[in-house]
Amino acid sequence: MKQPSVYLKAGKEKAMSRRHPWIFSGAIDRVEGQPELGGSVSVRTQSGQFLAWAAYSPQSKIRCRVWSWTESRRIDAAHVRELVRAAVAYRHDLGLGAQACRLVHGEADALPGVICDRYGDLLVLQLTSAGAERWRDALVEALQSETGCTRIYERSDVDVREIEGLELRRGWLRGDGATEIEIDEGGVRYWVDVARGQKTGFYLDQRDNRALIRTLAQGREVLNCFCYTGGFSLAAMAGGAKNVLSIDSSAEALNTARQNVAMNGYDETLMHWQEADVFQALRELRNAGRQFELIVLDPPKFAPTIAHAEKAARAYKDINLWGLKLLRPGGLLATFSCSGGISLELLQKIVAGAASDAEVDARILERFQVAPDHPIRMSFPEGEYLKGLLLKRI
Ligand code: SAH
């Protein structure tokens, strides 16, 4: 049977020559054949020249996602296996081996919409595109044989699947048993619940930044906002923090955080947990005259896309303004954004505005980025979502 083909409008092949993996519906001139949900299409210039093999998403504005740039390499189980093997080998070369890490990072690993995180011997798979869903069985097979992991849990329960015309799904794909697992990050142990936790259970993308915070915490009074299960809080304790106040709105996350403290044997009287809205809590801390020597602000994604940037900018400015006011002179502020719609330049501008309004000045000591197991592909700059600044108040 002839494979369905997507013909681009004249001039729209330019992005493809830069190997950007997305084809928006507006770039398409015509579709020949009847591609299925997630089925393969050949992408062609208006005159019919081959450009790539892609998976078809009939309901999404991102109508096609490229899985192969080579005509002789169609999308099939062997190709999926090859890509999974390359992704696993890359993490191995990073020295991550069996450590908790991201094994597959979607477009950056040429597997659009496929996320796979490893926690010990347990893999968590998240499929967010129709093409990823179409190759689900092949992905599970490949992941199992390339890693030797026999337990694979699916967390395809994210809203973006609805845009793709897919149902939300969660449960065991291979193996069974407890969905909670203990991981070790540089000697600090964390409980991860892959079924109920946020994302796939843990914010692996902040691993290297947590390690850096650990080196800065010695003797400091620390405030960790949006602490989730205590990632930065425990890293700071491991680094010798004097005490840590951690705030999050999720009672469930804070429960796990407390378990993490006990598991690591840290002094519970030095670690305080507050279930609260950070926007409110920062003002209350200020009213109470509190001051800190190291503050971490790692909020959720306020701006998933550029369209949300303006509203999000106000939220970022607000927390940074109050964060800076709570910082002692000489204190450190680690401020992050995981919003695709906020660039590092924009974050810096927002924080500079916050500093000016707070009537404080600061130096930039570092710029943070995502850990390298979440690679940023040159041809897919959208993948660069996490950024941050380390500031020292003057
Ligand atoms: N720094 C964490 C990850 C933070 S994720 C780590 O290293 O593991 C963002 C967190 O912000 C989530 O735990 C979420 O529950 C929390 N959150 C979202 N909105 C909030 C708000 N307005 N106030 C307090 N916490 C909030």
Side-chain angles (χ1 to χ4, degrees), residues 6-29:
V6 165
Y7 293 83
L8 301 186
K9 289 179 184 161
K12 292 291 183 189
E13 64 284 346
K14 282 204 197 84
M16 309 266 323
S17 66
R18 290 192 293 271
R19 297 213 159 189
H20 192 280
W22 290 351
I23 296 145
F24 288 91
S25 56
I28 296 173
D29 181 51

Side-chain angles (χ1 to χ4, degrees), residues 125-198:
L125 185 63
Q126 185 167 80
L127 307 174
T128 60
S129 70
E133 179 79 4
R134 163 77 182 73
W135 295 103
R136 183 168 174 250
D137 292 345
L139 286 160
V140 171
E141 277 293 318
L143 284 163
Q144 183 170 3
S145 63
E146 291 303 322
T147 62
C149 293
T150 51
R151 297 205 305 148
I152 306 181
Y153 194 84
E154 182 170 19
R155 278 299 297 271
S156 299
D157 55 357
V158 278
D159 295 344
V160 287
R161 273 175 69 97
E162 283 165 2
I163 303 171
E164 291 279 311
L166 305 170
E167 286 175 3
L168 307 196
R169 203 190 302 112
R170 175 197 321 214
W172 287 106
L173 288 160
R174 286 280 197 280
D176 53 18
T179 57
E180 291 133 322
I181 187 161
E182 182 191 322
I183 61 163
D184 184 301
E185 198 180 79
V188 182
R189 289 146 71 202
Y190 297 95
W191 269 115
V192 177
D193 186 337
V194 302
R196 281 176 293 275
Q198 297 180 20

Side-chain angles (χ1 to χ4, degrees), residues 198 203 210 226-228 231-232 248-250 276-279 298 300:
Q198 297 180 20
Y203 288 83
R210 281 189 288 264
F226 310 96
C227 66
Y228 186 48
F232 284 104
D248 201 282
S249 55
S250 161
D277 174 20
V278 165
F279 292 87
D298 184 23

Side-chain angles (χ1 to χ4, degrees), residues 225-226 297-302 316 319 335-338:
C225 297
F226 310 96
L297 298 173
D298 184 23
K301 211 183 332 189
F302 292 146
Y316 285 112
I319 54 172
T335 183
F336 296 95
S337 163
C338 60

Side-chain angles (χ1 to χ4, degrees), residues 44 57 67 96 98 178 296 298 335 352:
R44 300 180 180 276
S57 293
W67 287 54
L96 291 166
V296 178
D298 184 23
T335 183

